[in-house]
């Protein structure tokens, strides 16, 4: 880190600490003088996530903590509405919405709009001592903060058969005090490649490494590659399966076609990207599409659908809340979607936060309750997978056809490094009613179809998984 960057970082840290100290002192006086519901201003430590949230004068910021470090985090949000014990915030970058409300003496809950579950918070009287000092940005310290953050938050070393201490011993020896940025980036990138976890990323200025997919699955390098492959698959479906163009919504991410015999085909390339403006705008566009797709003529009466093919074989993810929104249009009764937890101990095997059950509830609008087949592949990722998992408890049971999903369910936990770089990792798991996690392995199909969306299939004239799905529905099983 050069001297100018050190000076700027030190000044920012000093200003942030001064503001937090004033807020904490003011909060202590307010708590002593008031017997009413406690306000939100002050410091809050998350259960899990390794994060301290600071709410000061209408602004929410974070500190990223490990056993060896405390750094100002990436999140900065301004208050947009609320009362003394409840407030909404909008992130300055990306406009993500956050809601915080008190839930008892010294307790609060934080929710990210569009995510599922909540982050449990406990009031913190003061920042840890490590937060008051500038963490060195030398290569070894950067490596140690990176490694320790994974050691204390990543839940899946055992599932992946990774000895994390051996990873440290093997790669730390490649770093010295004179290691350059390119070399350091290469070391951290190589570690992420070993994990093969689609919910990891490393951002270092012009150098970026994001979303390495599970070994043995199709590798797509970056968002443009995903977009191009998605377009190729859509054209393949229209040529070989539906044999006509899909009706599209959400900037082409949502597509639907009626099929001969009273069946329907619904394709979702993601649970995001439907509209500009964050979760609310995306939800409104999804609702508009589903209102038209699940019209009264398709959900009741003599012309109603006999069966529906749901295609999430190429689904990059997005908002878990949108997956639940779709699931709510596909059931006439409430049921458990999954249980969500975050890792909250540094030990191995790890401990987890209190289980938070997430339920699917029937929508107030038109719903489809008939037979469903679901097409999945290793490119069913993130919110595409939480949606697939949310459909497991649906009755009648959707028949999954194709390949196992990618095995990356958690939200991204974004963290800062001492040299200004940022990185992401998963720290949550999603469990079935029976306590099963599909992380690392993905959700398996009921009916496997080899070579789903392989280059050989895409260059041919038959969509084998689609044909299997349609035949299953036509059989009436």
């Amino acid at each position: 880190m050069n001297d100018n960057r050190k000076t700027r970082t030190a000044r920012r840290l000093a200003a942030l600490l001064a503001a937090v100290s004033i807020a904490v002192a003011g909060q202590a006086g307010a708590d002593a003088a008031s017997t009413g519901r406690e306000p939100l201003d002050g410091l809050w430590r998350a259960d899990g996530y390794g994060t301290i949230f600071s709410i000061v004068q209408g602004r929410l910021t974070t500190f990223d903590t490990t056993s060896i470090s405390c750094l100002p985090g990436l999140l900065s949000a301004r208050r947009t509405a609320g009362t003394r014990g409840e407030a909404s915030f909008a992130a300055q970058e990306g406009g993500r919405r956050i809601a915080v409300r008190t839930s008892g003496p010294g307790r609060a809950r934080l929710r990210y709009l569009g995510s599922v579950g909540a982050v449990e918070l406990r009031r913190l009287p003061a920042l840890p001592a490590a937060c008051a000092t500038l963490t060195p940005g030398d290569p070894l310290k950067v490596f140690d903060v990176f490694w320790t953050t994974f050691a204390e938050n990543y839940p899946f070393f055992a599932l992946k058969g990774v000895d994390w201490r051996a990873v440290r011993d093997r790669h730390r020896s490649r770093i010295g005090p004179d290691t350059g940025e390119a070399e350091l980036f290469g070391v951290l990138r190589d570690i992420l490649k070993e994990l093969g976890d689609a919910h990891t990323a490393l951002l270092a200025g012009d150098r970026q490494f994001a979303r390495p997919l599970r070994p043995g699955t199709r590798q797509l390098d970056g968002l443009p590659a995903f977009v191009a492959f998605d377009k190729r698959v859509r054209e393949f479906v229209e040529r070989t399966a539906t044999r006509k163009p899909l009706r599209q919504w959400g900037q082409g991410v949502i597509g639907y076609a009626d099929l001969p015999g009273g069946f329907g085909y619904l394709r979702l390339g993601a649970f995001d990207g439907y509209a500009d403006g964050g979760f609310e705008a995306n939800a409104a566009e999804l609702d508009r599409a589903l209102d038209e797709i699940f019209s009264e003529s398709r959900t009741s009466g003599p012309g109603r659908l006999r069966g529906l093919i749901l295609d999430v074989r190429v689904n990059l993810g997005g908002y878990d809340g949108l997956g639940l929104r779709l699931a709510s249009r596909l059931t006439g009764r409430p049921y458990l979607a999954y249980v969500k937890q975050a890792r909250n101990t540094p030990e191995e095997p790890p401990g987890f936060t209190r289980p938070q059950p997430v339920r699917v509830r029937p929508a107030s609008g038109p719903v489809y309750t008939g037979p469903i087949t679901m097409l999945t592949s290793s490119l069913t990722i993130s919110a595409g997978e939480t949606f697939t998992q949310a459909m497991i408890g649906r009755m009648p049971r959707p028949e999954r056809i194709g390949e196992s999903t990618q095995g990356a369910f958690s939200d991204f936990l974004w963290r800062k490094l001492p040299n200004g770089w940022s990185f992401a990792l998963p720290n949550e798991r999603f469990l079935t009613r029976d306590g099963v996690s599909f992380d690392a392995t993905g959700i398996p199909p009921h009916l496997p179809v080899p070579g789903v969306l392989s280059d050989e299939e895409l260059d041919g004239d038959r969509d084998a998984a689609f044909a299997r799905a349609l035949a299953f529905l036509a059989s009436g099983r």
Side-chain angles (χ1 to χ4, degrees):
M1 184 185 294
N2 61 43
D3 289 341
N4 287 339
R5 189 184 299 174
K6 283 182 180 178
T7 301
R8 289 196 301 271
T9 303
R11 287 173 178 168
R12 178 171 174 254
L13 178 60
L16 188 56
L17 290 172
V20 169
S21 298
I22 292 170
V24 171
Q27 178 58 43
D31 287 346
S34 173
T35 58
R37 189 165 60 171
E38 59 183 343
L40 289 170
D41 278 6
L43 296 168
W44 301 89
R45 183 186 289 279
D47 183 11
Y49 302 90
T51 303
I52 295 171
F53 291 88
S54 166
I55 300 177
V56 178
Q57 298 175 349
R59 185 164 170 253
L60 185 151
T61 55
T62 57
F63 289 87
D64 300 337
T65 68
T66 70
S67 58
I68 65 167
S69 62
C70 177
L71 293 162
L74 294 164
L75 180 62
S76 177
R78 59 179 180 81
R79 181 169 175 151
T80 56
T83 63
R84 194 163 178 261
E86 183 175 358
S88 297
F89 298 84
Q92 292 176 220
E93 291 188 17
R96 193 173 190 188
R97 302 292 296 277
I98 303 159
V100 188
R101 65 181 303 174
T102 54
S103 57
R107 293 173 180 267
R109 305 188 90 196
L110 180 145
R111 293 180 181 273
Y112 294 96
L113 190 63
S115 294
V116 297
V119 179
E120 300 285 350
L121 306 177
R122 289 176 179 257
R123 187 173 288 287
L124 192 65
L127 285 170
C131 299
T133 59
L134 187 65
T135 304
D138 62 88
L140 281 173
K141 188 64 174 181
V142 169
F143 179 94
D144 289 342
V145 171
F146 178 88
W147 183 90
T148 303
T149 302
F150 272 89
E152 295 178 357
N153 293 279
Y154 190 75
F156 309 124
F157 294 125
L159 278 173
K160 290 178 175 286
V162 173
D163 183 337
W164 194 237
R165 288 184 174 84
V167 170
R168 176 191 59 195
D169 295 342
R170 189 166 63 254
H171 290 283
R172 196 175 190 272
S173 61
R174 298 168 59 188
I175 299 172
D178 297 325
T179 298
E181 288 191 349
E183 295 171 278
L184 178 60
F185 181 88
V187 171
L188 303 187
R189 178 201 59 211
D190 289 349
I191 292 174
L192 296 185
K193 284 183 176 180
E194 283 190 37
L195 284 178
D197 194 310
H199 275 177
T200 60
L202 175 63
L203 307 181
D206 293 336
R207 299 185 182 92
Q208 299 186 5
F209 181 73
R211 310 200 79 169
L213 300 182
R214 175 160 50 88
T217 63
R218 179 187 284 270
Q219 301 295 307
L220 296 174
D221 186 16
L223 183 59
F226 272 97
V227 171
F229 187 74
D230 180 71
K231 181 175 183 291
R232 183 183 178 192
V233 171
R234 185 176 69 247
E235 292 171 348
F236 168 72
V237 166
E238 292 175 337
R239 184 180 78 249
T240 64
T242 62
R243 300 187 183 277
K244 61 181 177 182
L246 299 177
R247 186 179 176 192
Q248 297 182 13
W249 296 263
Q251 303 185 99
V253 184
I254 305 167
Y256 177 83
D258 285 315
L259 304 173
F263 301 107
Y265 170 85
L266 174 58
R267 181 174 186 271
L268 294 104
F271 285 105
D272 193 5
Y274 309 154
D276 297 331
F279 175 76
E280 296 101 326
N282 279 270
E285 179 63 8
L286 178 62
D287 287 345
R288 185 177 76 85
L290 297 178
D291 284 343
E292 296 181 29
I293 293 168
F294 299 127
S295 61
E296 186 175 350
S297 63
R298 291 196 182 96
T299 56
S300 62
R304 65 182 179 274
L305 290 173
R306 293 177 53 206
L308 178 68
I309 299 174
L310 268 175
D311 190 350
V312 289
R313 286 177 293 180
V314 182
N315 189 296
L316 189 57
Y319 293 103
D320 294 328
L322 292 184
L324 290 179
R325 210 174 186 97
L326 173 56
S328 75
R329 304 295 287 264
L330 300 170
T331 184
R333 65 172 187 86
Y335 65 89
L336 181 72
Y338 40 71
V339 173
K340 183 177 179 179
Q341 293 178 295
R343 181 175 173 183
N344 70 345
T345 67
E347 293 83 19
E348 283 288 345
F352 290 87
T353 57
R354 178 177 59 85
Q356 294 190 42
V358 178
R359 300 186 67 80
V360 175
R361 304 184 188 281
S364 57
V367 297
Y368 169 77
T369 60
I372 291 176
T373 52
M374 292 188 66
L375 306 183
T376 63
S377 82
S378 61
L379 294 178
T380 308
I381 305 172
S382 192
E385 298 186 86
T386 64
F387 167 69
T388 303
Q389 187 165 349
M391 294 293 288
I392 290 176
R394 191 245 192 204
M395 295 296 291
R397 183 191 82 173
E399 196 76 2
R400 295 189 301 274
I401 297 173
E403 294 178 336
S404 294
T405 64
Q406 177 64 208
F409 295 75
S410 170
D411 291 341
F412 284 94
L413 178 63
W414 281 98
R415 304 299 290 264
K416 196 84 170 286
L417 286 168
N419 64 350
W421 295 357
S422 57
F423 68 107
L425 68 157
N427 71 316
E428 301 166 335
R429 65 180 184 181
F430 288 67
L431 305 173
T432 66
R433 180 187 297 275
D434 300 323
V436 176
S437 165
F438 296 106
D439 280 285
T441 61
I443 302 173
H446 298 114
L447 299 175
V449 176
V452 170
L453 302 184
S454 64
D455 288 333
E456 292 78 12
E457 181 172 67
L458 292 174
D459 290 337
D461 57 4
R462 184 173 185 270
D463 186 336
F466 176 92
R468 190 87 178 265
L470 191 58
F472 184 91
L473 290 174
S475 72
R477 285 185 287 171

